[in-house]
Amino acid sequence: MTKRSITFYLNGRPVEAYVSPKDTLVDLLRNLDHFGARESCGQGLCGCCTVLVNGTSVSGCLELAELIEGKNLDTIEGLDAGGELSVVQQAFIDAGAFQCGFCTSGFILMVEQLLDENDSPTPDEARDYLSGNLCRCAAYPEILDAVQLAADKRKSLQKEPA
Amino acid sequence: MTTTEVGRSLPRLEARQKVTGHGNYTHNIKLPGMVHAKVFRSTVPHGRILSIDTSDAIALPGVTAVITGQDILKIIPEPYYGPAFHDQPILALDKVRYVGEPVAVVLAEDPRVAAEAAELIFADYEELPAVYDETEAMTSKAIVHDELKPAGTFPDLKHLIGRKDTNIALDFHLKRGDADAAFASAEHVYEHSFQTQQTMHTPFEPLISLAEPGDGRVTIYSASQSPSFARSEVARLLGWPENRVQVKVGHLGGGFGAKLYIKLEALVAALALLVRRPVRLSLSMEEQFYTITKHASTFHIKSAVDKDGRITARKCEVIWNGGAYADIGPRVTQKSGFTATGPYDIESADIDSYALYTNRPPAGALRGFGIPQLVWAYESHTDLIARDLGIDPVEFRRRNILRDGRPHVTGTIMKDAAIDAVLETLAKRMDWDAPFDHGSGTLKRGRGIAIGFKACVSPTTSVASVSVSADGSATLYLSTVDMGQGSDTAMSQIVAEVLAIRTEDVRVINPDTDITPYDMATLGSRSTFHMGNAVRKAAEHAREQLLEMAEKVGLPKKNTLNVPEIFRHAYGMQAGTVIGVGTYIPTYASPDKDGLSDNVTPFWMIGGTGVEVEVDTETGQIKLLKMVNAADMGNPLNPRIVETQLSGAAIMQLGFTVSEEMILDGGQVTNASLADYKIPGIRDIPPHIENHIVEAYTHDGPFGAKGVGESATFGVSPAVAEAIHDACGVRLTKLPMTAEVLYKALHGEQE
Ligand code: FES
Ligand code: FES
């Protein structure tokens, strides 16, 4: 299979990579040693492979790598830029919102996106928003706790600008 | 005892890695020169292999090799593996025994080329009659294995060697007292049958193993729950000493019993040695359904009850559908089978428990080691008896409950088993004695409580070592696998407690059989107790040495160690290492010919669940309004992690209760995908969940702790069945209890 070169922005940095026509975003990221988005169901059902393309969440297992040409690809690895965890990442730790952690990248990226859109989601809104992600360890109650924690923390940070 | 590190609810030590995408999973591993494997699988449920045509696959550009069972024979003359029976071939040889069984493997540098080539393989079979149902398999003419092949190393399996013309891999019997006499004179006799379905663990990190051939050795990287077993089994197959097989395990993306014993390890090792290149085999979600599952089962249960509502005798016949290969099924049959009478004080009992071969994908251990199947039946039965007698179900349980100091049916005297406390906690938290609103119109409400218990697989060994550095930090070497249950953290808490350092100053070396000592496996909630004790001993051994050192150099003998100071005085600078080693194996007495033993388990796990449901009688929809889980956790090492284990286990079991079921058509699983095999999502969890840790010090446990991973699965299914019954008067006796099933039951349609 012939590979071709594409360029795009990975977590804000320009990258050049060689991709085959059938490579998915997960394949592409693996080749670049980014393992945070991972394939589980391979069918767009679990969200373990969640990444952001131009700021919108997609299932990396279904998106063709070639189509990322010229676009922004953001992954879990970009969240703690500068070595500091994001509010949502910290909330996941504080709430104990994972066990094995295999689904965690996807959930965190979705919660980031949720809170960007809605700074005070009700538990029902959070459930609806996150219903495209699955967790076999069933850390769901703790994930909902983390949403609450992160929402509160984000709001309190907004009130007292640094 | 007051502790500072034990009992602390600190986050998992690897939490930061997991929220930044840097989790240490086997999936991340790439080896130089590695080729990818794709398995070609059987399309028939039972057949003799006539031919395998691999010519088109080999001819595909980019294919490195195509390997069949015949090729495996070149390096492994007896390629049959398994923890109890050596019945499973690395690749099918003469016969295939289920749809999805591995028949050949394609290797290629590009995984897509391997997949494409696998589709070009053609196998021809002479089809044989197949059997799928466990009850039919008892008497069927379709025989899955021509001859039984128990591993010769187990004395209790020796009598099965060479047995022919049967699908019964193992039968276990327990006989206590005179059940027949009790039935003959009983006031009431009740008899029911219950069934469970075949399900799958679906760990989100699908099964994966890699192997790297070396100079007279092989290294296996695997998402395995049992690195020590994988090493010894692969060494046995190759005829090599164990020290030439290395098994390394990172963190697991879930296991739940799917990643035990040998799954892909023997195959990748053989492939790597045959082609002399590193090989990676990563299964898809679909392929996991063809690899290991949870036993379907049929349970016939019969009880004799006296006029005071006391159960005087119980007969249990349990038939386990083990699928085509035994895996750990025979052990489930025995080690869980003897608890089939439930956590009740019953004078006389007969238990017959059978492990059956069928032409389904193999079944093994799944969160509970068979216990949820048993509890489903005996607790449903308990509720039906209470209903008939007109006794409140909690009260009926109270009258019969097995208390500490009383003998279990095996003869083992109960100890540190807070069964009554779990029941009372549930009753209290469910507000059981308050009036309950049963709803109105087509929305009916009901509630149920169920409890169960489990013995720990025994006897098993754990070994750990702790190395203390001169700066006072410690490194813990152990082969316990952290698959999300938090063992790395809990074990580090034990080390920290003993050495009087902070848990954060302990580093865990993940399983690497070249470095980390033996452990039987991470299964059956055994690690906290067994490995926990080994770790405690190892840390204490290190501590003793440190105290001796302190004494020698004339430091004051204090209870609180100042480790850096001791090293500095002993070596004149920050230098030296102290290594502590600990081994733990509990005492145990094998059951006699009647299945009786006075020491059948090192500890009991006890769990229960109460639920409230709402049933839409028009549609059969079942909605869980409330779920209360309680479990005897001993003295929890990390209460927060323990609590998430409780709700995680209960929600998983909820999936097995109301939605999950592998559907087979002619032996072919037709819903091997998360699209059609419905696991619980975030919208399926009850709006109200409570988890209660019933603290009850376990005397032989490390700091009083015991295993926690499975206890909250026990009561879920029967509690939901009782709640449905309470709501709408319909009793379901088969899992899963879907809306469709309930609709049919409510509206009088037969399935
Ligand atoms: S792996 Fe992409 S959604 Fe499941
Ligand atoms: S934490 Fe294991 S799948 Fe979500």
Side-chain angles (χ1 to χ4, degrees):
Chain A
M1 271 174 258
T2 48
K3 294 202 175 197
R4 77 178 186 94
S5 147
I6 58 166
T7 52
F8 62 101
Y9 292 87
L10 177 57
N11 294 320
R13 280 203 231 135
V15 176
E16 183 181 3
Y18 286 87
V19 294
S20 305
K22 286 187 181 166
D23 279 354
T24 65
L25 287 181
V26 176
D27 298 326
L28 170 65
L29 286 165
R30 274 191 69 81
N31 290 338
L32 297 169
D33 288 335
H34 281 51
F35 303 108
R38 30 189 95 98
E39 185 163 320
S40 179
C41 72
Q43 293 183 299
L45 299 162
C46 71
C48 289
C49 59
T50 304
V51 292
L52 305 180
V53 174
N54 284 350
T56 306
S57 60
V58 300
S59 294
C61 68
L62 296 181
E63 296 288 313
L64 288 178
E66 280 192 327
L67 303 179
I68 198 72
E69 170 95 68
K71 295 182 185 162
N72 293 314
L73 178 59
D74 291 309
T75 70
I76 188 80
E77 287 89 350
L79 269 189
D80 61 333
E84 204 178 314
L85 296 182
S86 78
V87 166
V88 174
Q89 287 174 312
Q90 189 58 50
F92 266 64
I93 295 181
D94 294 340
F98 51 87
Q99 294 187 20
C100 78
F102 209 72
C103 68
T104 309
S105 310
F107 270 103
I108 288 179
L109 288 174
M110 290 307 290
V111 173
E112 296 275 358
Q113 186 173 281
L114 163 66
L115 295 181
D116 287 346
E117 290 172 20
N118 175 355
D119 66 0
S120 323
T122 64
D124 269 347
E125 286 170 339
R127 279 178 199 239
D128 280 351
Y129 201 92
L130 299 174
S131 61
N133 290 61
L134 293 170
C135 172
R136 189 46 156 169
C137 301
Y140 300 124
E142 295 82 10
I143 291 170
L144 292 171
D145 291 348
V147 172
Q148 206 55 53
L149 267 179
D152 292 349
K153 179 80 187 179
R154 276 190 170 204
K155 274 183 282 177
S156 73
L157 285 177
Q158 267 161 14
K159 266 187 221 137
E160 34 170 316
Chain B
M1 185 193 312
T2 52
T3 56
T4 53
E5 293 300 315
V6 159
R8 207 182 132 198
S9 280
L10 79 158
R12 290 178 166 74
L13 292 178
E14 76 287 1
R16 194 184 170 100
Q17 283 172 37
K18 284 184 176 171
V19 298
T20 54
H22 296 110
N24 164 32
Y25 305 106
T26 303
H27 269 259
N28 309 357
I29 296 172
K30 297 179 188 173
L31 300 169
M34 145 178 117
V35 288
H36 295 265
K38 184 71 190 179
V39 177
F40 168 78
R41 296 172 183 279
S42 166
T43 50
V44 301
H46 195 193
R48 231 166 268 294
I49 300 174
L50 299 176
S51 63
I52 306 171
D53 182 355
T54 59
S55 53
D56 288 352
I58 293 263
L60 192 75
V63 169
T64 309
V66 181
I67 306 288
T68 66
Q70 295 304 321
D71 299 312
I72 303 279
L73 292 176
K74 290 177 206 153
I75 50 169
I76 304 175
E78 268 296 314
Y80 294 92
Y81 64 87
F85 283 58
H86 294 159
D87 60 354
Q88 190 158 4
I90 293 174
L91 289 174
L93 283 167
D94 47 336
K95 259 175 57 158
V96 289
R97 297 182 176 86
Y98 70 97
V99 177
E101 177 165 2
V103 173
V105 173
V106 179
L107 297 169
E109 267 167 40
D110 183 332
R112 282 208 185 75
V113 171
E116 199 184 324
E119 307 222 328
L120 301 176
I121 297 177
F122 180 79
D124 200 13
Y125 307 96
E126 173 202 336
E127 282 207 50
L128 300 169
V131 60
Y132 307 111
D133 178 86
E134 61 272 15
T135 304
E136 279 169 27
M138 298 274 291
T139 53
S140 161
K141 290 217 167 57
I143 299 294
V144 182
H145 288 266
D146 301 338
E147 186 179 322
L148 298 187
K149 290 186 178 170
T153 39
F154 296 110
D156 64 320
L157 301 179
K158 279 232 164 79
H159 65 288
L160 298 169
I161 292 173
R163 210 175 262 191
K164 283 186 170 61
D165 298 321
T166 180
N167 289 319
I168 302 176
L170 181 120
D171 52 322
F172 168 80
H173 307 280
L174 179 146
K175 213 169 172 40
R176 176 187 168 82
D178 190 346
D180 288 326
F183 274 101
S185 63
E187 183 84 12
H188 311 273
V189 172
Y190 296 96
E191 194 167 358
H192 302 106
S193 295
F194 300 90
Q195 282 180 299
T196 66
Q197 79 284 35
Q198 190 173 22
T199 58
M200 208 269 144
H201 319 59
T202 68
F204 271 16
E205 171 201 40
L207 291 161
I208 176 166
S209 298
L210 300 89
E212 191 173 26
D215 189 13
R217 43 177 292 143
V218 62
T219 300
I220 300 167
Y221 303 83
S222 187
S224 166
Q225 293 176 235
S226 49
S228 302
F229 180 84
R231 163 159 95 159
S232 53
E233 188 72 341
V234 170
R236 179 185 70 77
L237 288 163
L238 290 168
W240 290 5
E242 285 193 22
N243 65 1
R244 285 166 55 189
V245 178
Q246 179 183 23
V247 180
K248 297 180 75 165
V249 180
H251 284 140
L252 263 54
F256 317 112
K259 298 172 177 174
L260 280 169
Y261 311 110
I262 293 286
K263 289 297 173 283
L264 312 176
E265 292 83 358
L267 177 55
V268 289
L271 294 171
L273 293 170
L274 280 167
V275 300
R276 295 170 188 275
R277 286 179 74 169
V279 171
R280 178 185 198 261
L281 173 55
S282 164
L283 298 191
S284 66
M285 185 59 81
E286 179 191 351
E287 289 178 292
Q288 295 204 89
F289 287 86
Y290 308 134
T291 307
I292 190 69
T293 68
K294 175 173 174 169
H295 289 83
S297 66
T298 298
F299 189 160
H300 305 290
I301 183 166
K302 185 173 167 187
S303 295
V305 181
D306 72 12
K307 60 179 188 334
D308 302 321
R310 290 214 28 121
I311 306 164
T312 55
R314 187 164 266 186
K315 289 193 177 194
C316 303
E317 186 191 40
V318 196
I319 310 168
W320 305 89
N321 193 326
Y325 295 103
D327 198 84
I328 200 62
R331 291 300 184 215
V332 170
T333 303
Q334 288 169 306
K335 307 255 170 190
S336 291
F338 70 71
T339 68
T341 52
Y344 299 109
D345 198 334
I346 301 173
E347 199 54 44
S348 306
D350 283 358
I351 298 173
D352 301 303
S353 182
Y354 301 94
L356 268 297
Y357 282 121
T358 63
N359 295 107
R360 287 174 176 251
L366 197 173
R367 213 165 195 173
F369 217 71
I371 297 297
Q373 290 99 315
L374 299 174
V375 185
W376 156 246
Y378 65 64
E379 285 295 84
S380 293
H381 179 63
T382 299
D383 282 322
L384 286 169
I385 299 174
R387 279 178 178 277
D388 187 76
L389 295 173
I391 305 176
D392 174 81
V394 170
E395 173 53 28
F396 180 62
R397 285 177 171 82
R398 271 188 201 120
R399 276 185 211 175
N400 289 287
I401 213 154
L402 186 55
R403 292 176 202 279
D404 271 11
R406 293 285 304 160
H408 170 249
V409 293
T410 49
T412 297
I413 303 296
M414 298 303 291
K415 168 176 133 203
D416 297 337
I419 305 171
D420 46 351
V422 167
L423 178 66
E424 296 308 333
T425 302
L426 290 173
K428 183 155 162 242
R429 301 294 173 166
M430 290 288 290
D431 230 343
W432 196 257
D433 295 328
F436 183 75
D437 172 9
H438 280 89
S440 57
T442 56
L443 289 183
K444 294 283 201 286
R445 301 174 66 223
R447 58 186 184 157
I449 281 181
I451 54 170
F453 75 150
K454 175 176 184 281
C456 193
V457 179
S458 209
T460 66
T461 301
S462 289
V463 187
S465 74
V466 172
S467 114
V468 184
S469 304
D471 65 352
S473 63
T475 309
L476 172 59
Y477 298 83
L478 80 177
S479 294
T480 294
V481 176
D482 198 328
M483 45 196 171
Q485 81 280 33
S487 53
D488 282 2
T489 311
M491 297 301 164
S492 298
Q493 288 179 265
I494 294 176
V495 173
E497 185 66 48
V498 173
L499 296 177
I501 58 178
R502 291 182 329 136
T503 302
E504 290 84 343
D505 292 330
V506 181
R507 198 166 92 81
V508 178
I509 302 300
N510 285 134
D512 174 345
T513 56
D514 272 9
I515 298 168
T516 57
Y518 175 89
D519 179 43
M520 180 260 188
T522 305
L523 64 81
S525 304
R526 64 175 287 284
S527 302
T528 299
F529 186 88
H530 295 78
M531 186 55 85
N533 271 317
V535 167
R536 182 181 185 161
K537 286 181 159 190
E540 283 171 352
H541 183 211
R543 185 189 152 89
E544 281 160 29
Q545 297 172 61
L546 288 164
L547 286 172
E548 265 172 41
M549 271 166 72
E551 205 175 7
K552 262 195 210 144
V553 297
L555 285 171
K557 242 196 153 177
K558 282 186 300 191
N559 260 343
T560 46
L561 293 170
N562 183 338
V563 178
E565 200 189 0
I566 298 172
F567 275 102
R568 254 196 323 276
H569 276 81
Y571 299 105
M573 60 183 292
Q574 185 176 321
T577 308
V578 160
I579 297 175
V581 185
T583 298
Y584 185 75
I585 180 164
T587 59
Y588 170 76
S590 292
D592 64 15
K593 61 172 189 2
D594 286 328
L596 307 181
S597 155
D598 62 2
N599 184 8
V600 82
T601 178
F603 67 98
W604 298 95
M605 290 162 249
I606 296 122
T609 294
V611 297
E612 287 181 17
V613 306
E614 184 177 82
V615 171
D616 183 331
T617 54
E618 255 177 350
T619 63
Q621 288 294 335
I622 303 156
K623 198 155 96 191
L624 255 83
L625 304 173
K626 179 173 177 176
M627 172 186 254
V628 179
N629 305 305
D632 168 1
M633 294 297 178
N635 176 41
L637 299 173
N638 184 319
R640 184 71 225 244
I641 292 182
V642 161
E643 234 184 89
T644 61
Q645 280 281 301
L646 282 186
S647 69
I651 294 168
M652 189 170 201
Q653 185 66 29
L654 187 59
F656 301 140
T657 302
V658 298
S659 64
E660 294 178 44
E661 176 171 30
M662 285 173 60
I663 303 190
L664 274 80
D665 182 3
Q668 168 71 53
V669 185
T670 60
N671 62 337
S673 137
L674 294 187
D676 302 311
Y677 180 89
K678 176 81 180 65
I679 68 167
I682 198 164
R683 277 198 289 218
D684 300 317
I685 59 169
H688 183 98
I689 302 184
E690 287 175 30
N691 302 301
H692 297 284
I693 298 172
V694 175
E695 291 197 23
Y697 200 85
T698 310
H699 284 91
D700 301 327
F703 297 98
K706 64 165 74 163
V708 303
E710 305 158 312
S711 306
T713 62
F714 302 164
V716 178
S717 307
V720 172
E722 170 63 14
I724 292 172
H725 194 163
D726 186 38
C728 63
V730 168
R731 172 60 57 166
L732 301 176
T733 56
K734 209 172 156 184
L735 292 178
M737 299 179 281
T738 61
E740 187 183 340
V741 169
L742 182 56
Y743 175 87
K744 285 179 177 162
L746 278 164
H747 299 274
E749 275 180 50
Q750 292 304 312
E751 247 188 276

CSV table of all heavy atoms in Angstrom, one decimal, chain A residues 38-49 59 61, ligand 1:
chain,number,residue,atom,x,y,z
A,38,ARG,N,-6.9,5.1,22.1
A,38,ARG,CA,-6.6,3.7,21.9
A,38,ARG,C,-7.9,3.0,21.3
A,38,ARG,O,-9.0,3.4,21.6
A,38,ARG,CB,-6.1,3.0,23.1
A,38,ARG,CG,-6.6,3.6,24.4
A,38,ARG,CD,-6.0,3.1,25.6
A,38,ARG,NE,-4.8,3.9,26.1
A,38,ARG,CZ,-4.9,4.8,27.1
A,38,ARG,NH1,-6.0,5.0,27.7
A,38,ARG,NH2,-3.8,5.4,27.5
A,39,GLU,N,-7.6,2.0,20.5
A,39,GLU,CA,-8.7,1.3,19.9
A,39,GLU,C,-9.2,0.2,20.9
A,39,GLU,O,-8.5,-0.6,21.4
A,39,GLU,CB,-8.3,0.7,18.6
A,39,GLU,CG,-9.5,0.1,17.9
A,39,GLU,CD,-9.2,-0.1,16.4
A,39,GLU,OE1,-8.6,0.7,15.8
A,39,GLU,OE2,-9.6,-1.2,15.9
A,40,SER,N,-10.5,0.2,21.1
A,40,SER,CA,-11.1,-0.9,21.8
A,40,SER,C,-12.2,-1.6,21.0
A,40,SER,O,-12.0,-2.7,20.5
A,40,SER,CB,-11.7,-0.4,23.1
A,40,SER,OG,-12.3,-1.4,23.9
A,41,CYS,N,-13.3,-1.0,20.8
A,41,CYS,CA,-14.4,-1.6,20.0
A,41,CYS,C,-14.1,-1.5,18.5
A,41,CYS,O,-14.6,-2.3,17.7
A,41,CYS,CB,-15.8,-1.0,20.3
A,41,CYS,SG,-15.9,0.7,19.6
A,42,GLY,N,-13.4,-0.5,18.1
A,42,GLY,CA,-13.1,-0.3,16.7
A,42,GLY,C,-14.3,0.1,15.8
A,42,GLY,O,-14.3,0.0,14.6
A,43,GLN,N,-15.4,0.4,16.5
A,43,GLN,CA,-16.6,0.7,15.7
A,43,GLN,C,-17.3,2.0,16.1
A,43,GLN,O,-18.5,2.1,15.8
A,43,GLN,CB,-17.6,-0.5,16.0
A,43,GLN,CG,-17.2,-1.8,15.5
A,43,GLN,CD,-18.3,-2.8,15.8
A,43,GLN,OE1,-18.6,-3.1,16.9
A,43,GLN,NE2,-18.8,-3.4,14.7
A,44,GLY,N,-16.6,2.9,16.7
A,44,GLY,CA,-17.3,4.1,17.1
A,44,GLY,C,-18.3,4.0,18.2
A,44,GLY,O,-19.1,4.9,18.3
A,45,LEU,N,-18.1,3.0,19.1
A,45,LEU,CA,-19.1,2.8,20.1
A,45,LEU,C,-18.7,3.1,21.5
A,45,LEU,O,-19.5,3.3,22.4
A,45,LEU,CB,-19.6,1.3,20.0
A,45,LEU,CG,-20.2,0.9,18.7
A,45,LEU,CD1,-20.3,-0.6,18.6
A,45,LEU,CD2,-21.6,1.5,18.6
A,46,CYS,N,-17.4,3.1,21.8
A,46,CYS,CA,-16.9,3.1,23.1
A,46,CYS,C,-16.2,4.4,23.5
A,46,CYS,O,-16.2,4.8,24.7
A,46,CYS,CB,-16.0,2.0,23.4
A,46,CYS,SG,-14.4,2.1,22.6
A,47,GLY,N,-15.6,5.1,22.5
A,47,GLY,CA,-15.0,6.4,22.8
A,47,GLY,C,-13.6,6.3,23.4
A,47,GLY,O,-13.0,7.3,23.8
A,48,CYS,N,-13.0,5.1,23.5
A,48,CYS,CA,-11.6,5.0,24.0
A,48,CYS,C,-10.6,5.7,23.1
A,48,CYS,O,-9.5,6.0,23.5
A,48,CYS,CB,-11.2,3.6,24.1
A,48,CYS,SG,-12.0,2.7,25.4
A,49,CYS,N,-11.0,5.9,21.8
A,49,CYS,CA,-10.2,6.5,20.8
A,49,CYS,C,-10.4,8.0,20.6
A,49,CYS,O,-10.0,8.5,19.5
A,49,CYS,CB,-10.4,5.7,19.5
A,49,CYS,SG,-12.1,5.9,19.0
A,59,SER,N,-14.4,9.9,16.9
A,59,SER,CA,-13.8,8.6,17.2
A,59,SER,C,-12.6,8.4,16.3
A,59,SER,O,-12.8,8.2,15.1
A,59,SER,CB,-14.9,7.5,17.0
A,59,SER,OG,-15.9,7.7,17.9
A,61,CYS,N,-10.9,5.9,15.8
A,61,CYS,CA,-10.9,4.5,15.1
A,61,CYS,C,-11.6,4.6,13.8
A,61,CYS,O,-11.4,3.6,13.0
A,61,CYS,CB,-11.4,3.5,16.0
A,61,CYS,SG,-13.2,3.6,16.3
C,1,FES,S1,-12.4,2.2,19.6
C,1,FES,FE1,-13.2,3.9,18.6
C,1,FES,S2,-15.1,4.2,19.5
C,1,FES,FE2,-14.4,2.3,20.4
